Amino acid sequence: MPKATGKAMKQVFPLLPLIIWTVLVPSKANEFKCPGGNNYELSYCASQALKRSNSSLESQLKASTFEAWKSAIGEVCAEAYAPYIQGKIYPLMLMRCDENLNQTLLEEMKGLGERQ
């Protein structure tokens, strides 16, 4: 396996159960309360927040810039939380890291009149 592919697999593999879970569980969405009281709710809420911030950034950035941003934050967050890769909440930690960085960029992109 080429080195780049192996690295990508290490980043994607821990997220696979969460990806499958978010695809299969939309019918349970009404049962979850955000910000969440258990790991399932926390993961669901974090995935929804990340979807919203990704959508907002995607609408404001050129496609190539948005893809570069997602790649960069994915690498940064994976490296930041690498010591916890075997933990059960590792995917949640990555989503929250991505979301925090997205929100920081969105805040920087606001016009002067929009900043609080």
Side-chain angles (χ1 to χ4, degrees):
M1 180 181 302
K3 186 176 182 180
T5 303
K7 184 177 180 181
M9 289 301 291
K10 284 181 183 178
Q11 291 175 346
V12 172
F13 184 71
L15 296 175
L16 193 57
L18 183 61
I19 293 167
I20 293 169
W21 179 77
T22 54
V23 169
L24 296 178
V25 183
S27 63
K28 300 243 182 215
N30 294 333
E31 297 176 23
F32 294 121
K33 294 181 175 81
C34 292
N38 59 49
N39 284 350
Y40 294 112
E41 289 177 346
L42 290 169
S43 293
Y44 174 79
C45 297
S47 71
Q48 295 305 303
L50 183 57
K51 281 182 190 178
R52 284 190 301 273
S53 65
N54 275 337
S55 178
S56 183
L57 283 173
E58 191 172 25
S59 71
Q60 296 181 50
L61 298 171
K62 293 187 297 186
S64 60
T65 304
F66 177 67
E67 290 304 318
W69 172 256
K70 283 193 341 184
S71 177
I73 65 171
E75 287 182 37
V76 168
C77 291
E79 188 170 326
Y81 290 104
Y84 309 102
I85 197 166
Q86 298 300 320
K88 289 182 179 182
I89 64 167
Y90 177 72
L92 175 60
M93 295 169 85
L94 290 181
M95 280 191 294
R96 284 189 168 172
C97 180
D98 288 358
E99 167 63 8
N100 288 337
L101 293 175
N102 279 355
Q103 288 302 325
T104 300
L105 180 58
L106 286 166
E107 185 64 30
E108 287 300 314
M109 294 174 67
K110 285 183 179 179
L112 290 177
E114 297 176 2
R115 292 185 186 222
Q116 297 178 9

